[in-house]
Amino acid sequence: MEKFTVVVMEGDQTGQELLEEGLRVLDPSLIGVDLELARFDLSLENRRATKNQVVHDAAAAMKESGFGYKAATITPEIPGDVGSPNAILRKGIDGTVIVRTGRRIPGITPVAGVYAPISVVRMAVDDAYGAKEWREGEGVDEIAYRTEKISRKICRGVAQYAFEQARKTNAKVFGGPKFTVSPVYEGMLKEEMDLASKSYAEVKYEPQLIDATYALLMNTSGEPLVIPALNRDGDCLSDLVLQMFGSIAGSESILLAFDEQQNPKTVMAEAPHGTAPGLYGKNVANPMAMILAAASLLTFFNTKEADLASRAIYESTLEAVVEGTRTADLGGTASTTEFTDEVIRRMKTKLEVWKTLA
């Protein structure tokens, strides 16, 4: 059996607690996949102590192994501090896109009757994040400036992956940037969307300005969608989309780096939410996102054992919710560990039964 190394990036507060829950469903003795975990401490304390060297080390290890699993981390607000590790990780593995998919959580009433899945495919680097910023002048005459950039390469990666995702899920590519107001900057992504559409003639394509995308999302229901987006647009969109389905903790977040043939070469899975300091130490946070992130990561191993384990995690998680095991954010009373316990109980049954039927 092939052995896989997963770079585990530890985090802060509730993020670390939920990481440990997610690692429980990746136990090799449970899933039947030979995993080795290479752990890196990305807590705020250690990032400060190492001046972010631990983040660079984790990125290098992830690029070598091809797989990463990250906890939520604190981003300090103090200027000149270590900042967020995400930008370093994304750049370190040559990350191109971040994918977050909102999907119906059984038994949970979504907003506006939405039930078909919606994937947001956004830039992983550039745009508003990492922009150069400065101010000039004083008092009421002070002016703030920002210089942003995007590249044709990243735009092409976002557009092509959006159409590939839509092809696989029988979805429509929908939305886009504000290309009418910003034809040079934001228009670059629209150009690549139009170009990709020619290679995917079988995929429905309905470009919309970003403001219209937000408005029309509130009227969607029955058609699966894939939305390509700039970095910050996609960050905001994905939070909205996930909450439309009932909880931002109801889905995973995937960072992808591609080879020259546009095949994934490095994958980092994480939760889309933050460290939730108000829930720290209370054993009440929803571990769904970290558990589903583990399931999604396994799909990139491309082995039968990993695919079965991933399916078992996905099904067990959603079945647990629909049959009443829910944390407080979903209207239930289950603790964090109780929810994971129930998922694992169901996984064991499924994997044992499937082994018998194989």
Side-chain angles (χ1 to χ4, degrees):
M1 182 184 298
E2 186 175 357
K3 188 172 186 176
F4 300 91
T5 298
V6 175
V7 174
V8 176
M9 288 154 279
E10 300 172 350
D12 297 294
Q13 298 173 339
T14 309
Q16 179 61 24
E17 292 176 342
L18 296 180
L19 173 74
E20 298 298 343
E21 295 301 304
L23 289 174
R24 292 176 62 195
V25 304
L26 283 177
D27 185 340
S29 66
L30 172 65
I31 62 176
V33 178
D34 193 0
L35 288 182
E36 179 180 349
L37 304 181
R39 300 184 75 132
F40 291 79
D41 180 4
L42 266 59
S43 67
L44 178 58
E45 181 182 12
N46 198 44
R47 281 181 280 139
R48 284 172 170 164
T50 64
K51 298 181 180 179
N52 273 335
Q53 184 58 49
V54 66
V55 186
H56 291 283
D57 293 344
M62 184 165 40
K63 190 171 183 178
E64 181 178 353
S65 74
F67 305 102
Y69 189 56
K70 178 183 174 293
T73 48
I74 293 173
T75 299
E77 298 180 0
I78 305 170
D81 206 335
V82 290
S84 169
N86 294 332
I88 297 173
L89 293 171
R90 292 166 189 174
K91 184 177 180 180
I93 68 168
D94 301 319
T96 299
V97 305
I98 297 170
V99 185
R100 295 176 179 173
T101 300
R103 61 178 71 89
R104 190 173 71 86
I105 304 173
I108 304 301
T109 303
V111 174
V114 61
Y115 62 86
I118 302 174
S119 295
V120 178
V121 179
R122 64 180 258 225
M123 295 177 177
V125 293
D126 295 339
D127 193 36
Y129 301 148
K132 179 182 178 181
E133 296 183 332
W134 72 98
R135 294 179 184 178
E136 296 179 2
E138 297 179 357
V140 295
D141 294 323
E142 186 177 21
I143 301 173
Y145 296 90
R146 180 168 68 198
T147 301
E148 303 174 3
K149 71 175 180 67
I150 55 175
S151 68
R152 177 80 58 186
K153 178 182 177 181
I154 299 298
C155 288
R156 184 162 297 177
V158 168
Q160 290 184 353
Y161 193 81
F163 275 88
E164 180 62 19
Q165 175 84 349
R167 184 191 66 80
K168 290 179 179 178
T169 58
N170 196 29
K172 174 172 68 178
V173 174
F174 177 82
K178 192 83 170 181
F179 55 88
T180 53
V181 173
S182 177
V184 174
Y185 183 89
E186 301 197 21
M188 184 181 286
L189 176 57
K190 175 60 162 51
E191 291 166 8
E192 290 299 325
M193 290 165 57
D194 292 343
L195 181 64
S197 71
K198 296 178 181 178
S199 301
Y200 290 85
E202 74 279 18
V203 175
K204 294 180 182 179
Y205 178 40
E206 185 180 328
Q208 297 283 352
L209 300 177
I210 184 63
D211 50 342
T213 301
Y214 274 106
L216 292 170
L217 273 177
M218 302 311 296
N219 293 324
T220 188
S221 59
E223 186 172 22
L225 302 175
V226 176
I227 307 175
L230 297 169
N231 201 342
R232 191 171 67 174
D233 284 350
D235 196 0
C236 298
L237 269 172
S238 58
D239 281 2
L240 171 70
V241 165
L242 297 186
Q243 197 62 53
M244 286 171 63
F245 287 89
S247 173
I248 195 172
S251 181
E252 67 278 9
S253 179
I254 301 296
L255 169 66
L256 295 167
F258 301 103
D259 61 21
E260 293 182 358
Q261 287 73 45
Q262 202 62 18
N263 298 311
K265 66 176 182 180
T266 307
V267 183
M268 186 183 85
E270 60 182 331
H273 54 69
T275 59
L279 304 179
Y280 179 49
K282 298 179 180 179
N283 196 26
V284 296
N286 188 347
M288 273 186 70
M290 284 306 297
I291 290 173
L292 294 177
S296 183
L297 186 65
L298 289 170
T299 65
F300 292 92
F301 287 12
N302 296 318
T303 69
K304 178 181 178 182
E305 293 82 6
D307 287 345
L308 284 175
S310 174
R311 179 185 169 190
I313 296 171
Y314 273 117
E315 290 187 6
S316 298
T317 302
L318 296 176
E319 285 177 7
V321 173
V322 77
E323 294 187 14
T325 303
R326 304 173 186 174
T327 47
D329 62 316
L330 297 179
T333 59
S335 68
T336 304
T337 52
E338 286 172 344
F339 185 88
T340 310
D341 289 344
E342 180 62 15
V343 171
I344 291 174
R345 184 188 70 79
R346 292 173 180 272
M347 285 176 60
K348 288 179 178 178
T349 300
K350 289 178 182 294
L351 291 171
E352 190 62 34
V353 170
W354 293 343
K355 188 185 303 182
T356 302
L357 296 176

